[in-house]
């Protein structure tokens, strides 16, 4: 009996290793370095009107910078004019006032209550949007927050936030980019365990909706803590080691350290569920969550080594 069990275990290990080699070969062939992927992204987005950009944390510098570059590229080259953020609508309205005016505006004051998004990376994006609007008065970009006061029930929040996006889409008929955590971006229930924004938006816009997950293998991240005495305070944490059987571990072996990949038809990840990095706004386990990645997301951006966002003091 012991020999049979050892033989079956060997077969299982061999099968897993072969599967991972197949997956890695597919990723090496289909992934594109972040140095040269934007034209491919634009092609993948043909016919898309709502693009959702995830992030494995709300405190990673490289995620913010890469999303900034996507937003700037798509505004300049693909007609996107509405940018929505997973943040309070009244606070993002202050940012919209800033980017919509050519009068002297106090950006630090407008960003005062952006909490995890009160960073140099966001300030750079907002400054670019303001400059773009000044130069393009007939094609201005607007920003909005799709979280509102009262959207705190985890069982209804994503549906309510989706409804806010639909309102903007109906009112403007614009192409929209949405900025949120991977959990809200996912199409299926594997990661969030309930229907998230990605699920509701996918049902609403079908093939006009496209979502991208972000993942990382190692580095540091900014997290937030709350206390009645000090309010919100920030801390830098080092990401824990990655499970060897996770998607993240496989992504770390791809020939490009930083890459974009579209989970096109025929990819080997269909129906496979493993973990990717997950850091909540506060430092709270678990630090990885399962995802059926090729069903949850249309595409992935992976950045091997990341660092904490540059918080504005």
């Amino acid at each position: 009996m012991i020999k049979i069990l050892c033989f079956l275990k060997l077969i299982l290990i061999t099968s897993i290793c072969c599967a991972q080699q197949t997956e890695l070969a597919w990723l090496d062939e289909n992934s594109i370095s972040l140095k040269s992927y934007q034209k491919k992204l634009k092609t993948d987005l043909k016919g898309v009107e709502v693009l959702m950009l995830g992030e494995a944390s709300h405190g990673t510098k490289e995620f913010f910078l890469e999303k900034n570059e996507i937003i700037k590229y798509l505004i300049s080259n693909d007609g996107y004019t509405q940018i929505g953020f997973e943040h309070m609508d009244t606070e993002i309205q202050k940012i919209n006032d800033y980017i919509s005016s050519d009068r002297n505006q106090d950006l630090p004051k407008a960003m005062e209550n952006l909490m995890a998004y009160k960073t140099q990376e966001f300030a750079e994006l907002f400054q670019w949007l303001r400059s773009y609007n000044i130069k393009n008065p007939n094609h201005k970009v607007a920003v909005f927050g799709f979280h509102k006061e009262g959207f705190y029930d985890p069982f209804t929040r994503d549906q309510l936030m989706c409804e806010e996006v639909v309102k903007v889409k109906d009112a403007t008929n614009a192409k929209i980019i949405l900025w949120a955590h991977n959990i809200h971006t996912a199409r299926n229930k594997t990661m969030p365990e309930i229907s998230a924004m990605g699920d509701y938006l996918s049902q609403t816009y079908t093939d006009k909706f496209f979502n991208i997950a972000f993942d990382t293998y190692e580095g540091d991240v900014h997290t937030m803590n709350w206390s009645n005495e000090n309010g919100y305070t920030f801390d830098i944490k080092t990401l824990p080691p990655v499970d060897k059987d996770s998607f993240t571990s496989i992504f770390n072996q791809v020939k490009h350290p930083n890459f974009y990949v579209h989970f096109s038809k025929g990819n080997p990840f269909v129906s496979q569920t493993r973990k990717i990095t997950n850091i909540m706004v506060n430092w709270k386990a678990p630090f990885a969550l399962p995802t059926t990645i090729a069903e949850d997301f249309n595409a992935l951006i992976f950045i091997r080594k990341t660092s904490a966002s540059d918080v504005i003091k």
Side-chain angles (χ1 to χ4, degrees):
M1 176 62 71
I2 293 176
K3 287 184 178 180
I4 293 174
L5 290 175
C6 289
F7 178 69
L8 292 175
K9 185 177 181 180
L10 180 61
I11 291 176
L12 178 61
I13 292 172
T14 302
S15 175
I16 291 172
C17 289
C18 289
Q20 289 184 347
Q21 288 303 311
T22 299
E23 294 159 1
L24 185 56
W26 185 89
L27 286 167
D28 278 340
E29 182 178 351
N30 289 275
S31 63
I32 303 175
S33 169
L34 293 189
K35 296 177 181 178
S36 58
Y37 77 102
Q38 290 183 338
K39 288 184 179 179
K40 175 64 165 61
L41 174 62
K42 182 180 176 182
T43 299
D44 291 343
L45 293 178
K46 185 176 181 180
V48 171
E49 296 188 6
V50 178
L51 168 64
M52 199 166 191
L53 302 176
E55 55 195 21
S57 89
H58 287 320
T60 299
K61 181 182 186 72
E62 288 76 12
F63 292 164
F64 292 174
L65 291 176
E66 197 58 45
K67 290 164 89 167
N68 285 359
E69 292 306 308
I70 291 172
I71 289 170
K72 290 188 282 187
Y73 178 81
L74 293 177
I75 287 172
S76 301
N77 296 279
D78 208 14
Y80 284 82
T81 57
Q82 291 284 334
I83 316 297
F85 294 92
E86 183 198 344
H87 206 284
M88 188 69 70
D89 59 336
T90 51
E91 296 302 326
I92 300 299
Q93 181 57 50
K94 297 175 185 177
I95 303 301
N96 194 57
D97 293 341
Y98 167 80
I99 70 168
S100 300
S101 174
D102 58 1
R103 299 189 302 274
N104 289 333
Q105 297 282 331
D106 188 346
L107 180 57
K109 184 172 180 57
M111 295 181 65
E112 190 173 14
N113 297 318
L114 291 191
M115 298 186 289
Y117 289 163
K118 186 183 175 184
T119 69
Q120 293 292 346
E121 299 84 27
F122 271 77
E124 186 273 335
L125 174 62
F126 298 149
Q127 289 164 347
W128 185 91
L129 292 173
R130 175 182 166 86
S131 177
Y132 177 88
N133 281 343
I134 292 172
K135 295 174 183 176
N136 299 273
N138 297 321
H139 193 259
K140 281 191 172 184
V141 175
V143 297
F144 66 97
F146 46 79
H147 176 77
K148 295 175 74 94
E149 187 67 41
F151 288 10
Y152 299 114
D153 183 345
F155 294 102
T156 60
R157 184 180 179 225
D158 279 74
Q159 183 173 6
L160 293 171
M161 292 194 297
C162 173
E163 290 172 1
E164 293 304 305
V165 173
V166 172
K167 289 177 185 176
V168 172
K169 177 66 175 164
D170 289 347
T172 63
N173 196 32
K175 296 173 76 172
I176 296 176
I177 300 172
L178 303 174
W179 184 309
H181 196 282
N182 283 344
I183 288 178
H184 298 295
T185 309
R187 268 201 307 269
N188 295 321
K189 299 178 183 178
T190 313
M191 180 180 288
E193 298 184 341
I194 59 174
S195 290
M197 281 187 75
D199 185 6
Y200 292 117
L201 290 166
S202 180
Q203 293 179 45
T204 303
Y205 297 110
T206 61
D207 58 355
K208 294 181 180 180
F209 173 75
F210 193 98
N211 62 349
I212 303 176
F214 277 63
D215 193 15
T216 184
Y217 181 77
E218 62 181 338
D220 295 330
V221 60
H222 250 127
T223 58
M224 280 187 3
N225 303 295
W226 166 261
S227 70
N228 290 330
E229 296 80 18
N230 301 314
Y232 287 105
T233 56
F234 290 88
D235 197 6
I236 294 179
K237 301 289 187 180
T238 297
L239 298 177
V242 168
D243 291 345
K244 291 183 179 180
D245 190 37
S246 65
F247 282 132
T248 303
S249 180
I250 297 172
F251 299 151
N252 182 56
Q253 301 172 58
V254 173
K255 63 182 181 181
H256 303 298
N258 308 318
F259 64 85
Y260 165 84
V261 64
H262 179 206
F263 294 116
S264 53
K265 289 183 180 179
N267 76 80
F269 298 100
V270 174
S271 300
Q272 289 198 41
T273 301
R274 295 180 210 164
K275 292 180 179 179
I276 62 173
T277 306
N278 172 76
I279 308 298
M280 304 304 290
V281 70
N282 57 339
W283 188 246
K284 180 180 178 182
F287 302 116
L289 287 179
T291 173
T292 311
I293 197 158
E295 296 179 9
D296 277 343
F297 302 100
N298 293 104
L300 167 84
I301 286 178
F302 181 79
I303 302 175
R304 184 168 293 168
K305 188 168 185 177
T306 51
S307 56
S309 56
D310 193 358
V311 172
I312 298 172
K313 304 300 183 182

